[in-house]
Amino acid sequence: MDKEKTDILIVGGGPAGMMAAISARKANPSAEIHLIEKNEKLGKKLFITGKGRGNLTNTCEEARFLEHVLSNPRFLYPAFHVFNNTDLMRFIEGLACPLKEERGGRVFPRSDKAYSITDALKRALKEAKVSVECNRTLKAIKRREEGFLCNVGGKELFCKKLILATGGLSYPSTGSTGDGYHFAKAFSIPVTACYPSLVKLEVLSEDIYALSGLKLKNVVVSVLDETRKLYGKKSGEVYFQKDAVAGPTILSLSAELSPQIHQAEIGKFTLSIDLKGEVPAFDADFLLEYEKRGKEPIKALIKAHLPQQLFPFLCRRLEKQGVPVEKRASECKKEERKKVLSAFHELSFPISGTGPFTEAIVTKGGVDTRALSKKSLEVKAVPGLYFAGEVLDVDAYTGGYNMQIAFSTGYLAGKSAGEALL
Protein backbone atom coordinates (compact mmCIF):
# COMPACT_ATOMS: atom_id res chain seq x y z
CA MET A 1 0.00 0.00 0.00
CA ASP A 2 1.52 3.28 -1.10
CA LYS A 3 -0.21 5.64 1.30
CA GLU A 4 0.53 5.70 4.99
CA LYS A 5 -2.70 7.51 5.81
CA THR A 6 -6.28 7.20 4.67
CA ASP A 7 -9.67 8.44 5.80
CA ILE A 8 -11.57 5.15 5.81
CA LEU A 9 -10.07 1.67 5.88
CA ILE A 10 -12.39 -1.27 5.19
CA VAL A 11 -11.14 -4.74 6.05
CA GLY A 12 -12.80 -7.58 4.15
CA GLY A 13 -13.72 -7.78 0.50
CA GLY A 14 -16.94 -9.73 0.80
CA PRO A 15 -20.47 -8.38 0.21
CA ALA A 16 -20.43 -6.29 3.41
CA GLY A 17 -16.98 -4.82 2.82
CA MET A 18 -17.51 -4.00 -0.85
CA MET A 19 -20.87 -2.39 -0.11
CA ALA A 20 -19.36 -0.43 2.79
CA ALA A 21 -16.75 1.05 0.47
CA ILE A 22 -19.32 1.97 -2.18
CA SER A 23 -21.66 3.47 0.41
CA ALA A 24 -18.86 5.45 2.06
CA ARG A 25 -18.00 7.01 -1.29
CA LYS A 26 -21.64 7.92 -1.92
CA ALA A 27 -21.84 9.57 1.52
CA ASN A 28 -18.50 11.36 1.22
CA PRO A 29 -17.26 12.12 -2.32
CA SER A 30 -13.95 13.56 -1.13
CA ALA A 31 -12.85 10.90 1.40
CA GLU A 32 -9.90 8.62 0.77
CA ILE A 33 -11.25 5.06 0.94
CA HIS A 34 -9.17 1.90 1.02
CA LEU A 35 -10.44 -1.67 0.93
CA ILE A 36 -8.13 -4.55 1.77
CA GLU A 37 -8.83 -8.28 1.30
CA LYS A 38 -6.69 -11.15 2.63
CA ASN A 39 -7.53 -13.42 -0.34
CA GLU A 40 -6.18 -13.12 -3.86
CA LYS A 41 -9.55 -11.83 -5.09
CA LEU A 42 -12.69 -10.09 -3.84
CA GLY A 43 -15.93 -11.88 -3.03
CA LYS A 44 -14.47 -15.35 -2.62
CA LYS A 45 -17.31 -16.52 -0.39
CA LEU A 46 -19.86 -14.85 -2.61
CA PHE A 47 -18.77 -17.19 -5.40
CA ILE A 48 -20.21 -20.20 -3.58
CA THR A 49 -23.51 -18.72 -2.38
CA GLY A 50 -26.65 -20.31 -3.73
CA LYS A 51 -24.59 -23.33 -4.84
CA GLY A 52 -22.54 -21.05 -7.05
CA ARG A 53 -25.55 -19.28 -8.52
CA GLY A 54 -25.48 -16.31 -6.15
CA ASN A 55 -28.65 -16.07 -4.05
CA LEU A 56 -28.51 -12.28 -3.71
CA THR A 57 -31.54 -11.58 -1.53
CA ASN A 58 -35.23 -12.36 -1.04
CA THR A 59 -38.16 -10.33 -2.33
CA CYS A 60 -40.48 -10.67 0.69
CA GLU A 61 -41.74 -7.50 2.35
CA GLU A 62 -39.89 -5.96 5.26
CA ALA A 63 -41.96 -7.38 8.14
CA ARG A 64 -41.79 -10.90 6.74
CA PHE A 65 -38.11 -10.51 5.89
CA LEU A 66 -37.25 -9.69 9.51
CA GLU A 67 -39.26 -12.73 10.66
CA HIS A 68 -36.64 -14.84 8.87
CA VAL A 69 -33.85 -13.25 10.91
CA LEU A 70 -33.14 -15.52 13.89
CA SER A 71 -30.66 -13.50 15.95
CA ASN A 72 -31.27 -9.85 16.86
CA PRO A 73 -33.77 -8.91 14.12
CA ARG A 74 -34.58 -5.59 15.82
CA PHE A 75 -30.93 -4.58 15.64
CA LEU A 76 -31.07 -5.06 11.87
CA TYR A 77 -34.08 -2.79 11.34
CA PRO A 78 -32.21 0.53 10.84
CA ALA A 79 -29.76 -1.05 8.38
CA PHE A 80 -32.57 -2.69 6.42
CA HIS A 81 -34.54 0.54 6.46
CA VAL A 82 -31.60 2.45 4.96
CA PHE A 83 -30.81 -0.20 2.33
CA ASN A 84 -33.42 -2.92 1.88
CA ASN A 85 -33.88 -5.75 -0.59
CA THR A 86 -35.56 -3.53 -3.17
CA ASP A 87 -32.68 -1.04 -2.93
CA LEU A 88 -30.16 -3.85 -3.37
CA MET A 89 -31.87 -5.31 -6.43
CA ARG A 90 -32.17 -1.89 -8.03
CA PHE A 91 -28.52 -1.17 -7.29
CA ILE A 92 -27.22 -4.46 -8.73
CA GLU A 93 -29.37 -4.23 -11.86
CA GLY A 94 -28.09 -0.68 -12.31
CA LEU A 95 -24.63 -2.21 -12.62
CA ALA A 96 -25.65 -4.18 -15.71
CA CYS A 97 -26.39 -7.38 -13.80
CA PRO A 98 -30.00 -8.40 -14.53
CA LEU A 99 -31.75 -10.44 -11.85
CA LYS A 100 -34.56 -12.98 -11.64
CA GLU A 101 -36.87 -14.21 -8.91
CA GLU A 102 -37.38 -17.89 -8.18
CA ARG A 103 -39.37 -20.09 -5.79
CA GLY A 104 -39.75 -18.68 -2.30
CA GLY A 105 -38.78 -15.15 -3.36
CA ARG A 106 -35.11 -16.08 -3.88
CA VAL A 107 -33.27 -13.66 -6.17
CA PHE A 108 -30.44 -14.74 -8.50
CA PRO A 109 -28.54 -13.13 -11.37
CA ARG A 110 -30.07 -14.16 -14.70
CA SER A 111 -26.71 -15.61 -15.64
CA ASP A 112 -27.05 -18.16 -12.81
CA LYS A 113 -23.44 -17.29 -11.95
CA ALA A 114 -22.51 -15.78 -8.60
CA TYR A 115 -19.50 -14.07 -10.16
CA SER A 116 -21.90 -11.80 -12.09
CA ILE A 117 -22.68 -10.10 -8.78
CA THR A 118 -19.03 -9.85 -7.83
CA ASP A 119 -18.15 -8.40 -11.23
CA ALA A 120 -20.91 -5.81 -10.83
CA LEU A 121 -19.61 -4.79 -7.41
CA LYS A 122 -16.06 -4.54 -8.76
CA ARG A 123 -17.32 -2.13 -11.43
CA ALA A 124 -19.00 -0.04 -8.73
CA LEU A 125 -15.80 0.06 -6.69
CA LYS A 126 -13.86 1.21 -9.71
CA GLU A 127 -16.40 3.92 -10.52
CA ALA A 128 -16.28 5.05 -6.88
CA LYS A 129 -12.48 5.33 -7.11
CA VAL A 130 -11.99 3.06 -4.10
CA SER A 131 -8.42 1.86 -3.63
CA VAL A 132 -8.58 -1.95 -3.52
CA GLU A 133 -5.75 -4.27 -2.54
CA CYS A 134 -5.92 -8.05 -2.28
CA ASN A 135 -3.47 -10.34 -0.50
CA ARG A 136 -3.40 -7.81 2.34
CA THR A 137 -3.99 -8.99 5.90
CA LEU A 138 -4.73 -6.83 8.92
CA LYS A 139 -2.41 -8.02 11.68
CA ALA A 140 -3.06 -5.60 14.54
CA ILE A 141 -4.90 -2.41 15.47
CA LYS A 142 -3.84 0.31 17.90
CA ARG A 143 -6.17 3.07 19.06
CA ARG A 144 -4.93 6.61 18.44
CA GLU A 145 -6.50 9.93 19.37
CA GLU A 146 -7.56 10.75 15.82
CA GLY A 147 -8.17 7.21 14.60
CA PHE A 148 -6.40 3.85 14.33
CA LEU A 149 -2.90 2.68 13.52
CA CYS A 150 -3.21 -0.57 11.61
CA ASN A 151 -0.51 -3.12 10.87
CA VAL A 152 -1.31 -4.32 7.36
CA GLY A 153 1.08 -7.06 6.32
CA GLY A 154 3.89 -5.58 8.40
CA LYS A 155 3.29 -2.03 7.19
CA GLU A 156 1.69 0.67 9.32
CA LEU A 157 -1.33 2.51 8.00
CA PHE A 158 -3.23 5.21 9.87
CA CYS A 159 -6.96 5.63 9.27
CA LYS A 160 -9.55 7.95 10.74
CA LYS A 161 -12.40 5.43 10.46
CA LEU A 162 -12.12 1.65 10.46
CA ILE A 163 -14.77 -0.79 9.24
CA LEU A 164 -14.28 -4.48 9.99
CA ALA A 165 -16.23 -6.74 7.62
CA THR A 166 -14.05 -9.80 8.10
CA GLY A 167 -16.76 -12.48 8.07
CA GLY A 168 -17.46 -15.20 10.61
CA LEU A 169 -16.08 -18.72 10.90
CA SER A 170 -18.04 -20.52 8.18
CA TYR A 171 -16.14 -21.77 5.14
CA PRO A 172 -12.71 -20.74 6.52
CA SER A 173 -11.14 -21.62 3.16
CA THR A 174 -12.73 -18.41 1.85
CA GLY A 175 -10.93 -16.33 4.47
CA SER A 176 -13.55 -16.36 7.23
CA THR A 177 -11.30 -17.37 10.09
CA GLY A 178 -12.69 -15.28 12.93
CA ASP A 179 -10.23 -12.38 12.62
CA GLY A 180 -12.91 -9.84 13.48
CA TYR A 181 -13.67 -11.57 16.77
CA HIS A 182 -10.02 -11.33 17.84
CA PHE A 183 -9.90 -7.62 17.06
CA ALA A 184 -13.19 -7.08 18.91
CA LYS A 185 -11.89 -8.83 22.01
CA ALA A 186 -8.69 -6.79 21.84
CA PHE A 187 -10.88 -3.70 22.31
CA SER A 188 -12.91 -5.43 25.07
CA ILE A 189 -15.91 -5.68 22.79
CA PRO A 190 -17.98 -8.73 23.81
CA VAL A 191 -18.36 -11.60 21.33
CA THR A 192 -21.13 -14.13 21.81
CA ALA A 193 -20.49 -17.87 21.46
CA CYS A 194 -20.24 -18.97 17.82
CA TYR A 195 -21.79 -22.07 16.25
CA PRO A 196 -22.01 -23.45 12.71
CA SER A 197 -25.44 -22.68 11.24
CA LEU A 198 -27.30 -23.70 8.09
CA VAL A 199 -25.42 -26.98 8.18
CA LYS A 200 -26.13 -30.72 8.13
CA LEU A 201 -27.01 -32.74 11.23
CA GLU A 202 -24.72 -35.67 11.94
CA VAL A 203 -26.29 -38.87 13.32
CA LEU A 204 -25.07 -41.93 15.21
CA SER A 205 -26.96 -44.75 13.44
CA GLU A 206 -24.64 -46.92 11.35
CA ASP A 207 -27.54 -48.15 9.22
CA ILE A 208 -27.90 -44.67 7.70
CA TYR A 209 -25.05 -45.60 5.33
CA ALA A 210 -27.57 -47.58 3.29
CA LEU A 211 -29.54 -44.39 2.61
CA SER A 212 -26.60 -42.31 1.37
CA GLY A 213 -27.65 -40.32 -1.70
CA LEU A 214 -31.39 -40.69 -1.07
CA LYS A 215 -33.52 -37.55 -1.40
CA LEU A 216 -36.99 -37.31 0.11
CA LYS A 217 -39.59 -34.63 -0.63
CA ASN A 218 -42.71 -33.55 1.25
CA VAL A 219 -41.64 -35.00 4.59
CA VAL A 220 -41.98 -33.53 8.09
CA VAL A 221 -38.82 -33.43 10.18
CA SER A 222 -38.77 -32.98 13.96
CA VAL A 223 -36.06 -32.69 16.60
CA LEU A 224 -37.02 -34.21 19.96
CA ASP A 225 -35.21 -34.80 23.22
CA GLU A 226 -35.22 -38.00 25.30
CA THR A 227 -38.52 -37.00 26.95
CA ARG A 228 -40.14 -36.54 23.50
CA LYS A 229 -40.22 -32.77 23.97
CA LEU A 230 -40.38 -31.06 20.57
CA TYR A 231 -37.60 -28.55 19.86
CA GLY A 232 -38.12 -27.91 16.17
CA LYS A 233 -40.30 -29.00 13.26
CA LYS A 234 -40.02 -28.31 9.52
CA SER A 235 -41.51 -29.74 6.35
CA GLY A 236 -39.87 -30.06 2.94
CA GLU A 237 -36.88 -31.95 1.54
CA VAL A 238 -34.10 -33.97 3.18
CA TYR A 239 -30.93 -35.51 1.70
CA PHE A 240 -29.12 -38.45 3.24
CA GLN A 241 -25.35 -38.71 3.50
CA LYS A 242 -23.28 -41.61 4.84
CA ASP A 243 -23.29 -40.22 8.38
CA ALA A 244 -25.63 -37.23 8.29
CA VAL A 245 -28.88 -35.74 7.04
CA ALA A 246 -28.92 -32.51 5.03
CA GLY A 247 -31.33 -30.56 2.83
CA PRO A 248 -33.41 -27.37 3.25
CA THR A 249 -35.42 -28.56 6.26
CA ILE A 250 -32.29 -29.69 8.07
CA LEU A 251 -30.49 -26.41 7.39
CA SER A 252 -33.39 -24.49 8.91
CA LEU A 253 -33.47 -26.74 11.98
CA SER A 254 -29.72 -26.29 12.46
CA ALA A 255 -30.17 -22.52 12.25
CA GLU A 256 -32.61 -22.70 15.15
CA LEU A 257 -31.03 -25.41 17.27
CA SER A 258 -27.25 -25.38 16.71
CA PRO A 259 -26.44 -23.95 20.18
CA GLN A 260 -28.68 -26.46 21.98
CA ILE A 261 -27.26 -29.39 20.03
CA HIS A 262 -23.67 -28.34 20.68
CA GLN A 263 -24.27 -27.84 24.39
CA ALA A 264 -26.14 -31.13 24.90
CA GLU A 265 -24.73 -34.59 25.46
CA ILE A 266 -24.38 -36.68 22.30
CA GLY A 267 -27.58 -38.56 21.65
CA LYS A 268 -29.83 -36.33 23.75
CA PHE A 269 -31.64 -35.17 20.62
CA THR A 270 -33.31 -37.35 18.03
CA LEU A 271 -34.06 -36.49 14.41
CA SER A 272 -37.45 -37.94 13.48
CA ILE A 273 -38.71 -37.98 9.88
CA ASP A 274 -42.41 -38.42 9.17
CA LEU A 275 -42.43 -39.84 5.66
CA LYS A 276 -46.19 -39.31 5.31
CA GLY A 277 -46.62 -36.17 7.38
CA GLU A 278 -47.98 -34.32 4.36
CA VAL A 279 -50.47 -37.10 3.54
CA PRO A 280 -53.31 -36.75 6.09
CA ALA A 281 -55.28 -39.81 4.90
CA PHE A 282 -52.30 -42.15 4.76
CA ASP A 283 -53.08 -44.19 7.90
CA ALA A 284 -56.70 -44.84 6.97
CA ASP A 285 -55.81 -45.74 3.39
CA PHE A 286 -52.97 -48.02 4.46
CA LEU A 287 -55.14 -49.90 6.96
CA LEU A 288 -57.75 -50.34 4.25
CA GLU A 289 -55.09 -52.01 2.11
CA TYR A 290 -54.57 -54.55 4.87
CA GLU A 291 -58.17 -55.64 4.30
CA LYS A 292 -58.03 -55.59 0.50
CA ARG A 293 -54.62 -57.23 0.11
CA GLY A 294 -54.72 -59.58 3.04
CA LYS A 295 -53.16 -62.51 1.18
CA GLU A 296 -50.03 -60.50 0.31
CA PRO A 297 -47.02 -60.18 2.63
CA ILE A 298 -46.73 -57.06 4.73
CA LYS A 299 -43.60 -56.02 2.85
CA ALA A 300 -45.59 -55.83 -0.41
CA LEU A 301 -47.85 -53.20 1.14
CA ILE A 302 -44.88 -51.28 2.49
CA LYS A 303 -43.00 -51.36 -0.81
CA ALA A 304 -45.80 -49.59 -2.66
CA HIS A 305 -45.35 -46.50 -0.50
CA LEU A 306 -41.56 -46.10 -0.37
CA PRO A 307 -38.66 -45.19 -2.65
CA GLN A 308 -36.74 -48.30 -3.70
CA GLN A 309 -33.65 -47.39 -1.64
CA LEU A 310 -35.67 -46.88 1.54
CA PHE A 311 -37.77 -50.08 1.29
CA PRO A 312 -35.19 -52.66 2.49
CA PHE A 313 -33.96 -50.21 5.16
CA LEU A 314 -37.43 -49.86 6.67
CA CYS A 315 -38.06 -53.61 6.49
CA ARG A 316 -34.83 -54.29 8.40
CA ARG A 317 -35.83 -51.84 11.11
CA LEU A 318 -39.27 -53.48 11.43
CA GLU A 319 -37.77 -56.94 11.70
CA LYS A 320 -35.54 -55.71 14.54
CA GLN A 321 -38.74 -54.57 16.27
CA GLY A 322 -40.21 -58.05 15.94
CA VAL A 323 -42.42 -57.46 12.90
CA PRO A 324 -42.07 -60.36 10.40
CA VAL A 325 -42.49 -58.52 7.10
CA GLU A 326 -42.86 -61.80 5.19
CA LYS A 327 -46.06 -62.46 7.11
CA ARG A 328 -49.43 -62.12 5.33
CA ALA A 329 -51.18 -58.84 5.94
CA SER A 330 -54.34 -60.63 7.10
CA GLU A 331 -52.34 -62.39 9.81
CA CYS A 332 -50.80 -59.15 11.08
CA LYS A 333 -51.62 -58.41 14.71
CA LYS A 334 -52.88 -55.01 15.87
CA GLU A 335 -49.57 -54.17 17.59
CA GLU A 336 -47.65 -55.12 14.45
CA ARG A 337 -49.83 -52.82 12.36
CA LYS A 338 -49.12 -50.00 14.79
CA LYS A 339 -45.37 -50.61 14.45
CA VAL A 340 -45.63 -50.56 10.65
CA LEU A 341 -47.48 -47.24 10.68
CA SER A 342 -45.04 -45.88 13.25
CA ALA A 343 -42.15 -46.80 10.94
CA PHE A 344 -43.63 -44.52 8.27
CA HIS A 345 -44.15 -41.68 10.73
CA GLU A 346 -41.02 -41.97 12.87
CA LEU A 347 -37.89 -42.68 10.87
CA SER A 348 -35.56 -41.76 13.71
CA PHE A 349 -31.84 -41.17 14.15
CA PRO A 350 -29.97 -40.01 17.28
CA ILE A 351 -28.16 -36.72 16.61
CA SER A 352 -24.45 -36.64 17.38
CA GLY A 353 -23.92 -32.99 16.43
CA THR A 354 -23.95 -30.55 13.55
CA GLY A 355 -21.58 -30.39 10.62
CA PRO A 356 -18.40 -28.31 11.16
CA PHE A 357 -17.74 -24.67 10.31
CA THR A 358 -16.01 -25.85 7.14
CA GLU A 359 -19.43 -26.90 5.82
CA ALA A 360 -21.65 -24.27 7.48
CA ILE A 361 -23.21 -21.61 5.29
CA VAL A 362 -23.17 -18.98 8.06
CA THR A 363 -21.96 -18.43 11.61
CA LYS A 364 -24.43 -18.13 14.47
CA GLY A 365 -23.08 -15.71 17.07
CA GLY A 366 -20.44 -13.00 16.80
CA VAL A 367 -19.81 -9.41 17.86
CA ASP A 368 -22.42 -8.60 20.50
CA THR A 369 -24.89 -6.17 18.94
CA ARG A 370 -25.43 -4.48 22.31
CA ALA A 371 -21.94 -3.03 22.01
CA LEU A 372 -22.85 -1.22 18.79
CA SER A 373 -25.14 1.62 17.85
CA LYS A 374 -27.78 0.04 15.64
CA LYS A 375 -28.26 3.40 13.92
CA SER A 376 -24.66 3.57 12.70
CA LEU A 377 -22.99 0.20 13.51
CA GLU A 378 -20.28 2.15 15.35
CA VAL A 379 -18.89 0.62 18.53
CA LYS A 380 -20.26 2.66 21.43
CA ALA A 381 -17.06 2.50 23.46
CA VAL A 382 -14.68 2.90 20.50
CA PRO A 383 -15.71 5.85 18.30
CA GLY A 384 -14.63 5.47 14.69
CA LEU A 385 -14.72 1.64 14.73
CA TYR A 386 -17.55 -0.12 12.85
CA PHE A 387 -18.53 -3.74 12.26
CA ALA A 388 -20.60 -5.12 9.37
CA GLY A 389 -21.63 -8.44 7.85
CA GLU A 390 -21.33 -11.95 9.21
CA VAL A 391 -18.94 -10.88 11.97
CA LEU A 392 -22.03 -9.54 13.77
CA ASP A 393 -24.30 -11.67 15.94
CA VAL A 394 -27.07 -11.54 13.34
CA ASP A 395 -28.07 -14.57 11.28
CA ALA A 396 -31.08 -15.86 9.38
CA TYR A 397 -32.60 -18.80 7.56
CA THR A 398 -31.42 -19.78 4.10
CA GLY A 399 -33.02 -18.07 1.11
CA GLY A 400 -31.02 -14.90 0.48
CA TYR A 401 -31.58 -13.37 3.91
CA ASN A 402 -28.00 -13.62 5.14
CA MET A 403 -26.64 -12.00 1.99
CA GLN A 404 -29.06 -9.12 2.45
CA ILE A 405 -27.89 -8.74 6.06
CA ALA A 406 -24.32 -8.40 4.78
CA PHE A 407 -25.24 -5.81 2.16
CA SER A 408 -27.53 -3.80 4.47
CA THR A 409 -25.09 -3.65 7.37
CA GLY A 410 -22.21 -2.92 5.00
CA TYR A 411 -24.15 -0.07 3.47
CA LEU A 412 -25.03 1.45 6.86
CA ALA A 413 -21.49 1.15 8.21
CA GLY A 414 -20.01 2.79 5.11
CA LYS A 415 -22.61 5.54 5.10
CA SER A 416 -22.05 6.24 8.80
CA ALA A 417 -18.26 6.37 8.47
CA GLY A 418 -18.43 8.60 5.39
CA GLU A 419 -20.87 11.06 6.94
CA ALA A 420 -18.87 11.22 10.19
CA LEU A 421 -15.96 12.75 8.23
CA LEU A 422 -17.99 15.52 6.62
Side-chain angles (χ1 to χ4, degrees), residues 66 90 97 112 117 135 151 157 172 196 203 217 277 319 419:
L66 294 174
R90 187 183 300 117
C97 178
D112 277 328
I117 299 171
N135 294 309
N151 183 321
L157 171 70
V203 301
K217 295 182 178 182
E319 287 174 337
E419 290 178 347

Side-chain angles (χ1 to χ4, degrees), residues 47-113:
F47 277 93
I48 59 176
T49 61
K51 296 180 180 178
R53 295 175 57 220
N55 187 184
L56 179 70
T57 186
N58 195 289
T59 59
C60 67
E61 60 182 19
E62 183 174 300
R64 193 155 179 271
F65 189 102
L66 294 174
E67 287 176 3
H68 287 85
V69 179
L70 290 160
S71 305
N72 303 304
R74 291 185 179 181
F75 176 82
L76 182 65
Y77 179 79
F80 191 80
H81 185 69
V82 168
F83 192 73
N84 63 24
N85 47 0
T86 302
D87 297 324
L88 176 59
M89 289 184 284
R90 187 183 300 117
F91 173 74
I92 294 297
E93 289 200 309
L95 296 170
C97 178
L99 304 172
K100 62 178 179 177
E101 181 180 346
E102 294 188 3
R103 177 180 56 85
R106 291 168 169 81
V107 177
F108 297 87
R110 280 190 203 166
S111 66
D112 277 328
K113 303 294 183 184

Side-chain angles (χ1 to χ4, degrees), residues 126 239 252 294 371:
K126 188 175 181 180
Y239 314 145
S252 294

Side-chain angles (χ1 to χ4, degrees), residues 27-307:
N28 192 327
S30 61
E32 287 184 271
I33 303 169
H34 288 265
L35 170 64
I36 62 170
E37 164 58 43
K38 68 192 298 187
N39 289 307
E40 73 283 0
K41 60 185 177 181
L42 298 175
K44 197 167 182 179
K45 190 172 182 181
L46 203 158
F47 277 93
I48 59 176
T49 61
K51 296 180 180 178
R53 295 175 57 220
N55 187 184
L56 179 70
T57 186
N58 195 289
T59 59
C60 67
E61 60 182 19
E62 183 174 300
R64 193 155 179 271
F65 189 102
L66 294 174
E67 287 176 3
H68 287 85
V69 179
L70 290 160
S71 305
N72 303 304
R74 291 185 179 181
F75 176 82
L76 182 65
Y77 179 79
F80 191 80
H81 185 69
V82 168
F83 192 73
N84 63 24
N85 47 0
T86 302
D87 297 324
L88 176 59
M89 289 184 284
R90 187 183 300 117
F91 173 74
I92 294 297
E93 289 200 309
L95 296 170
C97 178
L99 304 172
K100 62 178 179 177
E101 181 180 346
E102 294 188 3
R103 177 180 56 85
R106 291 168 169 81
V107 177
F108 297 87
R110 280 190 203 166
S111 66
D112 277 328
K113 303 294 183 184
Y115 64 72
S116 296
I117 299 171
T118 309
D119 289 347
L121 292 168
K122 286 178 181 177
R123 289 194 292 273
L125 288 168
K126 188 175 181 180
E127 290 172 10
K129 293 185 170 65
V130 173
S131 173
V132 177
E133 290 200 69
C134 294
N135 294 309
R136 291 286 187 236
T137 302
L138 178 63
K139 300 291 187 179
I141 309 168
K142 292 179 182 178
R143 187 78 172 99
R144 291 291 181 264
E145 187 176 346
E146 299 295 324
F148 304 90
L149 189 61
C150 301
N151 183 321
V152 180
K155 191 172 183 178
E156 290 191 333
L157 171 70
F158 176 82
C159 63
K160 296 177 183 177
K161 305 293 178 183
L162 177 61
I163 301 174
L164 297 180
T166 51
L169 289 166
S170 60
Y171 289 126
S173 61
T174 64
S176 298
T177 53
D179 297 354
Y181 307 142
H182 301 308
F183 294 131
K185 291 174 181 178
F187 281 98
S188 299
I189 301 164
V191 176
T192 63
C194 295
Y195 304 93
S197 184
L198 297 179
V199 70
K200 68 184 182 183
L201 293 179
E202 297 175 341
V203 301
L204 292 171
S205 304
E206 290 185 6
D207 61 354
I208 195 175
Y209 293 170
L211 300 181
S212 182
L214 175 66
K215 294 184 179 182
L216 298 175
K217 295 182 178 182
N218 303 316
V219 297
V220 178
V221 186
S222 303
V223 173
L224 312 160
D225 68 8
E226 66 270 21
T227 67
R228 303 290 297 171
K229 178 182 176 181
L230 180 67
Y231 278 74
K233 189 175 184 179
K234 300 289 177 185
S235 59
E237 299 179 10
V238 296
Y239 314 145
F240 288 89
Q241 299 176 357
K242 64 179 182 179
D243 59 355
V245 185
T249 57
I250 302 300
L251 296 185
S252 294
L253 286 169
S254 77
E256 295 176 359
L257 303 174
S258 187
Q260 292 96 315
I261 291 171
H262 276 265
Q263 292 165 15
E265 292 182 9
I266 292 177
K268 174 184 177 178
F269 293 106
T270 296
L271 185 72
S272 181
I273 302 173
D274 187 343
L275 300 169
K276 303 300 176 182
E278 298 286 281
V279 188
F282 176 77
D283 287 15
D285 291 344
F286 192 75
L287 291 173
L288 189 61
E289 284 190 48
Y290 269 99
E291 306 301 326
K292 291 181 179 180
R293 303 169 61 183
K295 293 182 180 180
E296 298 179 52
I298 298 170
K299 69 177 186 179
L301 278 66
I302 296 171
K303 188 174 184 178
H305 296 280
L306 291 175

Side-chain angles (χ1 to χ4, degrees), residues 337-404:
R337 291 186 183 190
K338 282 185 178 180
K339 286 181 179 179
V340 172
L341 284 174
S342 178
F344 279 104
H345 294 301
E346 294 184 32
L347 184 65
S348 300
F349 305 90
I351 297 171
S352 60
T354 71
F357 277 112
T358 53
E359 298 178 18
I361 294 175
V362 298
T363 303
K364 191 175 192 70
V367 173
D368 195 327
T369 56
R370 292 172 295 184
L372 277 62
S373 163
K374 63 182 179 181
K375 294 182 179 180
S376 66
L377 301 187
E378 185 176 31
V379 179
K380 295 174 183 176
V382 190
L385 178 62
Y386 305 78
F387 285 90
E390 193 182 346
V391 70
L392 297 169
D393 181 14
V394 184
D395 65 278
Y397 290 111
T398 185
Y401 305 102
N402 289 290
M403 281 279 281
Q404 180 67 51

